Amino acid sequence: MSGFRIAGVGAALPDKILTNNDLKEFMDTSDEWIKERTGISERRVGSSTLELATNAALQAIERSHLEASQIENIVLATTTPEQLCPGTAPAVANNLGIQCGAFDVQAACAGWVYGLMVANGLLLQGAKNVLLIGAEALDKITDFTDRGTGILFGNGGAATILEASEDATGKILAWDLDSNGALGSILYADHGSNFHMEGREVFKKAVTVIESSVNKVLREADVKPADIKLVVPHQANIRIIELAWRKLGFTMDQTATVLERTGNTSAASIPIALEEAVTEGRVEPGDLVLFVGFGAGMTWASALIEWDAP
Ligand code: UT7
């Protein structure tokens, strides 16, 4: 292949909205505190990882020129697979009525960017297309009576179809995948338990790794912050984004954010924000688009792409 196009994007959110005021029934908090400290007003709960992944995939396929039967691979980034085993991607394929290469990627909130690099690798090996999904049912592992975590997380899914083509100009210009397992204890969920998080530690580390990872990618691609049309960061906390942006020199006008309405949807957050930006017409072929994710592990990842679409 000489490049890839984003042949279609889709997203799916559960119907049930849980507002900050709704949370006051379960914990001692306030709408003002949550908005000021996180930028989140509401999140979605209910549905399931499989249902959200399937619905997002169906929308992405419908908006593309492809039939489901033409999908060759499904890569699903998730922290909350439908079952511990098997992965959820084969079940998504089954729901689409197809059989194809299908597997999950688990890199927490950085999972979609890890998945993007895996998808690019498949295309470079000759695959015609990859359906890349991020989907989460985080309400399965969130204690909504815990003030530290219950205010943050929500459910959602989004799908992106990458299609290889001889005349496509889309490509990965620079990337960075990284982790530090010594920080595993600041954010984790054990089998059968809810999230445990040291919020302040995660916050501080997140700002640090975003800055270093993005700087590395910009340096490698020899690109300045102002050259980038759209930055799609993991949607965890608006203050994390604002602080990192101050250090990096990005503006909020360049940024895709949905967290006010979705909360933190982990591996689904970047593709959900991307889907909205694409449907609003914020990116055109030739534009530079930067993704940066970070989360449990700790894992973090950045990828700078040149955008191409049919
Ligand atoms: O995908 C990556 C996943 N995670 C993250 O990105 C999370 C990163 N961390 C955060 O977003 C923030 O640390 C939180 C939003 C979780 C917490 O905000 P914070 O500004 O770090 O608050 P804090 O834990 O330092 O607590 C400050 C105060 C405390 O009161 P005192 O001791 O100062 O009197 C808390 O008891 O705020 C209180 N507090 C709350 N008050 C109302 C903590 N949580 C709440 C709450 N509602 N939900």
Side-chain angles (χ1 to χ4, degrees), residues 29 33 37-38 109 147-148 151 197 199-200 234 236-237 240 264:
T29 191
W33 193 96
R37 295 294 180 114
T38 69
C109 306
R147 297 203 300 178
I151 58 168
M197 184 174 73
R200 279 190 172 201
H234 169 46
N237 182 325
I240 293 178
N264 178 346

Side-chain angles (χ1 to χ4, degrees), residues 17-44 144 150-153 259-263:
I17 296 173
L18 196 62
T19 66
N20 292 346
N21 281 324
D22 293 334
L23 286 174
K24 286 183 352 195
E25 283 180 35
F26 317 120
M27 64 172 87
D28 179 17
T29 191
S30 67
D31 179 44
E32 297 71 39
W33 193 96
I34 301 171
K35 271 197 208 142
E36 192 195 312
R37 295 294 180 114
T38 69
I40 298 166
S41 294
E42 60 187 43
R43 69 288 293 142
R44 303 290 178 110
F144 286 103
I151 58 168
L152 295 176
F153 298 105
L259 66 84
E260 189 196 356
R261 286 163 282 131
T262 61

